[in-house]
Amino acid sequence: MDESQAQTERLEADITTDITFGGGIVGKVYHGGHFVMEQSEVAPGIWLPTLYTYDVDGRKFLLGFGVHERTDVSHYRHLGPPSQSIEIIRSELNNLTAETPVQ
């Protein structure tokens, strides 16, 4: 916790009991799953996520599933007000499209 800015820096959660949907018929998330979320101050007063980790197993109807992902996020950059940022985004998307080879 960053108490001076009233922000949570790291949040961890463990699933201690099965979570059922539709009485367990529609699906179930099994106990033992684990979640982590971290965030940091990327600019003065602006806190954004920098890490997501999901380790969850379960089933949908009769089919099992597992989600085991780790996502690290960095290099945030401020683009300005919407009118300015939309032009930057369009330009970058056009550059990506131009660099993609046609198959």
Side-chain angles (χ1 to χ4, degrees):
M1 297 284 291
D2 186 329
E3 293 181 15
S4 66
Q5 296 195 30
Q7 293 290 332
T8 302
E9 291 184 33
R10 182 178 175 93
L11 176 68
E12 285 192 59
D14 290 312
I15 300 173
T16 57
T17 60
D18 291 350
I19 302 169
T20 59
F21 299 92
I25 297 169
V26 174
K28 183 182 283 192
V29 175
Y30 300 132
H31 71 280
H34 185 76
F35 299 94
V36 176
M37 194 272 300
E38 292 181 1
Q39 66 176 6
S40 63
E41 189 173 25
V42 297
I46 299 174
W47 287 74
L48 294 172
T50 55
L51 170 72
Y52 295 105
T53 302
Y54 305 98
D55 288 307
V56 180
D57 292 303
R59 68 170 172 77
K60 290 190 277 185
F61 296 103
L62 299 174
L63 303 173
F65 71 89
V67 178
H68 306 281
E69 296 181 11
R70 177 185 171 102
T71 304
D72 291 292
V73 184
S74 62
H75 298 43
Y76 283 107
R77 77 182 167 161
H78 180 69
L79 298 178
S83 60
Q84 178 184 355
S85 60
I86 194 71
E87 292 304 319
I88 294 169
I89 293 168
R90 281 186 180 139
S91 173
E92 289 189 7
L93 286 173
N94 288 335
N95 287 341
L96 287 174
T97 305
E99 293 174 5
T100 305
V102 178
Q103 296 179 1

